[in-house]
Amino acid sequence: MLGKNKNTNYTDDARTKVNTMIGEGTIFDGDLTSPETIRIDGTINGNCVCEKKLILSAEGKVTGNISAQSVIISGKVDGDITVSGKLELFSTGKIAGNITAGSLVIDEGACFDGRCTMTAAATSSYTRLDSGEI
């Protein structure tokens, strides 16, 4: 392709640059923190904090809590997930834990065992009238 960068960083689509990748078969014990996008094809035994997008492939597994700007789940999560933006749970995904998110998309066939709380992004469109103002 013309103008294609020969950079070896993995990308999940043309717009998202993945800076950290845990490969299939890799097991990481401990907490993982990144200021950029993370893709997990292996196993994380610990909490994941990502300032951008976290992508968990169908082969990936996280045993711990996840916090990120946006999350795509195709694999398995045993823990709570906090997302300031959108969480997408694909049909191969399984979550055993609570979700706090601005928006949530769950595909048919996905498994979710827990509670979901929508954050201010979903509730900011109403005005409280209990203060006596109209």
Side-chain angles (χ1 to χ4, degrees):
M1 292 171 115
L2 293 175
K4 184 173 181 181
N5 187 352
K6 293 184 180 182
N7 190 347
T8 59
N9 287 339
Y10 182 85
T11 58
D12 70 322
D13 61 35
R15 294 166 285 149
T16 303
K17 179 179 173 184
V18 176
N19 289 16
T20 303
M21 183 170 171
I22 305 298
E24 188 173 351
T26 301
I27 299 172
F28 182 88
D29 292 321
D31 295 341
L32 178 64
T33 302
S34 175
E36 298 294 330
T37 299
I38 300 172
R39 179 180 171 104
I40 301 168
D41 292 337
T43 300
I44 304 285
N45 295 315
N47 300 322
C48 297
V49 177
C50 180
E51 291 182 23
K52 293 192 179 176
K53 183 185 284 188
L54 185 139
I55 303 162
L56 183 66
S57 73
E59 299 81 22
K61 180 178 179 182
V62 174
T63 303
N65 299 330
I66 295 174
S67 178
Q69 182 181 11
S70 65
V71 175
I72 297 173
I73 303 292
S74 297
K76 184 175 181 184
V77 177
D78 289 320
D80 296 341
I81 302 174
T82 303
V83 182
S84 58
K86 180 166 69 170
L87 185 147
E88 296 178 77
L89 180 58
F90 290 159
S91 62
T92 57
K94 294 176 173 45
I95 298 175
N98 299 321
I99 294 172
T100 302
S103 65
L104 176 65
V105 177
I106 300 178
D107 283 351
E108 184 176 348
C111 294
F112 170 54
D113 182 14
R115 293 178 48 166
C116 179
T117 303
M118 302 304 286
T119 57
T123 59
S124 62
S125 62
Y126 72 90
T127 304
R128 292 186 64 181
L129 298 176
D130 60 359
S131 63
E133 298 177 15
I134 297 180

